[in-house]
């Protein structure tokens, strides 16, 4: 099941990075210098909410679809040749991150995640909810 926050994401926010299903990190070409963004940049198209539900629930659908991306906006992106209608879909123009950039991104993502968890636990305790919650995610 897709989180309810999926439907409320602000469409003006650009997907900064995406994680490909085989483990490779992609970076939105907009954030890279010109020569880097042209090298191996490709377009990936976001699935609709219903398509995403079907995609996540059906293993055969994922296998048939091949490689896919999970964007920093929590959307699932697939290559254009896997979809019949591309009109009015969000597009992620991504380039594979170099090993050096991928390592830096992972380090920064972990720093931010650690800060978020720490702040959430402080808030949790400040609200008088007691000890550490068993599960933070819905």
């Amino acid at each position: 099941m897709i989180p309810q926050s999926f439907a409320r994401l602000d469409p003006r926010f650009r997907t900064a990075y995406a994680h490909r299903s085989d483990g490779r990190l992609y970076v939105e070409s907009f954030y890279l210098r010109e020569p880097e963004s042209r090298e191996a940049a490709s377009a990936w198209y976001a699935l609709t909410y219903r398509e995403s539900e079907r995609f996540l629930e059906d293993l055969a659908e994922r296998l048939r679809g091949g490689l896919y991306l999970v964007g920093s906006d929590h959307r699932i992106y697939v290559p254009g040749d896997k979809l019949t209608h591309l009109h009015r879909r969000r597009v992620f123009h991504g380039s594979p991150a170099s090993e050096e950039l991928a390592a830096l991104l992972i380090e920064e993502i972990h720093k931010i995640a650690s800060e978020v968890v720490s702040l959430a636990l402080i808030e949790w305790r400040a609200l008088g909810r007691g000890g550490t919650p068993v599960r933070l995610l819905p």
Side-chain angles (χ1 to χ4, degrees), residues 111-129:
K111 282 181 194 175
I112 292 169
S114 177
E115 290 175 19
V116 167
V117 170
S118 296
L119 292 172
L121 290 173
I122 290 168
E123 185 71 22
W124 181 264
R125 290 182 185 123
L127 292 172
R129 307 243 199 245

Side-chain angles (χ1 to χ4, degrees), residues 8 20 29-31 34 42 46 70 75 84 89 106 115 120 133-134:
R8 294 186 303 249
R20 198 167 71 176
S29 298
F30 172 82
Y31 296 108
E34 286 298 315
S42 56
V70 177
R75 287 183 169 88
T84 54
R89 290 185 186 262
I106 291 168
E115 290 175 19
V134 176

Side-chain angles (χ1 to χ4, degrees), residues 10-138:
D10 189 332
R12 296 172 294 179
F13 290 134
R14 187 183 294 268
T15 304
Y17 66 92
H19 190 244
R20 198 167 71 176
S21 54
D22 66 355
R24 187 93 194 250
L25 278 176
Y26 274 61
V27 177
E28 168 64 52
S29 298
F30 172 82
Y31 296 108
L32 299 173
R33 294 187 307 252
E34 286 298 315
E36 292 172 334
S37 65
R38 289 192 193 122
E39 181 184 331
S42 56
W44 298 75
Y45 296 87
L47 297 180
T48 65
Y49 182 78
R50 288 183 190 208
E51 289 170 336
S52 295
E53 277 188 329
R54 194 173 32 243
F55 186 83
L56 292 171
E57 291 173 358
D58 187 4
L59 177 61
E61 181 79 18
R62 284 194 304 274
L63 294 174
R64 187 172 40 255
L67 292 174
Y68 60 93
L69 300 174
V70 177
S72 58
D73 61 355
H74 306 282
R75 287 183 169 88
I76 297 171
Y77 291 85
V78 297
D81 62 348
K82 305 294 182 193
L83 300 169
T84 54
H85 302 291
L86 301 179
H87 184 66
R88 299 190 70 186
R89 290 185 186 262
R90 286 184 66 114
V91 181
F92 174 76
H93 294 282
S95 297
S98 65
E99 286 184 30
E100 183 181 5
L101 179 57
L104 179 63
L105 286 171
I106 291 168
E107 183 180 331
E108 291 301 318
I109 291 167
H110 280 282
K111 282 181 194 175
I112 292 169
S114 177
E115 290 175 19
V116 167
V117 170
S118 296
L119 292 172
L121 290 173
I122 290 168
E123 185 71 22
W124 181 264
R125 290 182 185 123
L127 292 172
R129 307 243 199 245
T132 306
V134 176
R135 187 172 172 189
L136 289 175
L137 298 175

